[in-house]
């Protein structure tokens, strides 16, 4: 059976990059005129040539999202279980070479954190850890899920890449979705950012969504770390990956996130700056290309951008997030993975969403229902 690597190897980074930057206004207009768009259209819509058409893209994106998802925003919260990590990644606060105190939550500490999230109203939780095989491994994940499964109707995980058999065990335990980011699809640059640990294996990480798909997980989330490489080229390869997955594991749902590089302990400066207008263009391009794709915006983004992104195509948002293990109540001073930008409370964010004419959804997942405006 083929995997994404066989598709990936058919594409040259340099050729794709050249094609993006040589896109013409006519090609953008042709993409905008369509009702069904392919990867070539997506490429045109993320090009510099599409920037003058951003208002038109935003209007189409708004209508497509409203047609498919209604005027709802799914609310979720990350729950960081551990900052232990065996990888050296030059952009991450959890990197092994950062000589700081490490913490992994115990059963009782997990329950304390869960209690806070439930009081805040969350019913969807994203479990996050560093990549430390000896401590936060499949057995730790399964135990943590057992501790919280009665508290949340929707459990997602963002942890180290696992084997297909381990993903099958997560599926059986009740995990709804798995998020895994390639970080960058530029294979040579990838090596410079990931210098030690299992994450330095580009191919193993690239094959991870295939293993998740084969395991039957309900939803797979992809994304690139915006700031490591040229965002346009990286985003094309991310869309190429999504396109392959949707055609191969067609029963599975898919989401995309847009993490921009944020300050953290020992972190490098971004090599490529992506401003708010660029991110707006990217969100709209994804929606115009794929009506069914779930689009998530986290508290990495600032208040103004998050407010303005609500009608653009976003379907889920975090709020009141803590990016350190025990950050909600157990150990607020533990090492965080990165600094959040939007520090508003959960209630404040929910009010903003309502003021925009949207419904913040806590319990019922609107994605199972085809909604019409």
């Amino acid at each position: 059976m083929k995997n994404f690597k066989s598709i990936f190897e058919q594409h040259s980074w340099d050729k794709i990059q050249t094609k993006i930057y040589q896109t013409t206004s006519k090609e953008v207009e042709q993409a905008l005129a369509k009702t069904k768009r392919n990867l070539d259209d997506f490429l045109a819509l993320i090009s510099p040539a599409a920037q003058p058409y951003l208002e038109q893209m935003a209007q189409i994106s708004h209508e497509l999202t409203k047609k498919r998802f209604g005027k709802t925003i799914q609310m979720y919260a990350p729950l960081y279980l551990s900052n232990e990590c065996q990888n050296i990644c030059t952009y991450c606060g959890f990197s092994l070479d950062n000589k700081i105190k490490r913490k992994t939550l115990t059963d009782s500490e997990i329950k304390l954190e869960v209690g806070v999230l439930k009081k805040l109203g969350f019913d969807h939780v994203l479990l996050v850890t560093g990549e430390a095989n000896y401590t936060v491994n499949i057995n730790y994940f399964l135990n943590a899920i057992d501790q919280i499964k009665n508290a949340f109707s929707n459990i997602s995980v963002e942890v180290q890449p696992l084997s297909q058999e381990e993903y099958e065990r997560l599926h059986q335990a009740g995990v709804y979705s798995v998020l895994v980011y390639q970080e960058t699809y530029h294979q040579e640059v990838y090596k410079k950012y990931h210098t030690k640990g299992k994450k330095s294996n580009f191919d193993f990480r690239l094959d991870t969504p295939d293993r998740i798909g084969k395991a039957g997980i309900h939803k797979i989330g992809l994304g690139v770390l915006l700031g490591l490489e040229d965002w346009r080229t990286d985003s094309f390869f991310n869309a190429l990956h999504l396109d392959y997955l949707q055609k191969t594991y067609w029963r599975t749902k898919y989401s995309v996130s847009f993490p921009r590089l944020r300050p953290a302990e020992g972190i490098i400066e971004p090599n490529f700056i992506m401003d708010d207008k660029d991110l707006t263009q990217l969100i709209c391009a994804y929606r115009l290309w794929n009506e069914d794709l779930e689009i998530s915006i986290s508290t990495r983004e600032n208040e103004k951008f998050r407010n303005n992104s609500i009608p653009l195509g976003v379907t889920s948002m975090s709020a009141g997030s803590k990016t350190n293990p025990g950050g909600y109540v157990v150990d607020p001073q533990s090492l965080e993975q990165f600094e959040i930008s939007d520090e508003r409370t959960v209630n404040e964010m929910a009010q903003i969403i309502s003021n925009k004419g949207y419904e913040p959804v806590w319990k019922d997942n609107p994605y199972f229902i085809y909604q019409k405006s």
Side-chain angles (χ1 to χ4, degrees), residues 77 114-123 319-320 328 345-347 362:
V114 166
V116 173
L117 292 179
K118 291 304 295 182
K119 287 180 181 178
L120 291 172
F122 288 107
D123 200 40
Y328 294 104
T345 67
V346 174
N347 288 338
W362 304 94

Side-chain angles (χ1 to χ4, degrees), residues 260-283:
R260 281 196 281 187
L261 202 55
R262 291 284 303 152
E265 182 74 23
I267 203 166
I268 60 165
E269 289 296 316
N271 278 349
F272 292 82
I273 302 299
M274 182 189 206
D275 62 28
D276 288 356
K277 188 175 181 181
D278 294 332
L279 185 50
T280 299
Q281 180 183 353
L282 182 58
I283 291 171

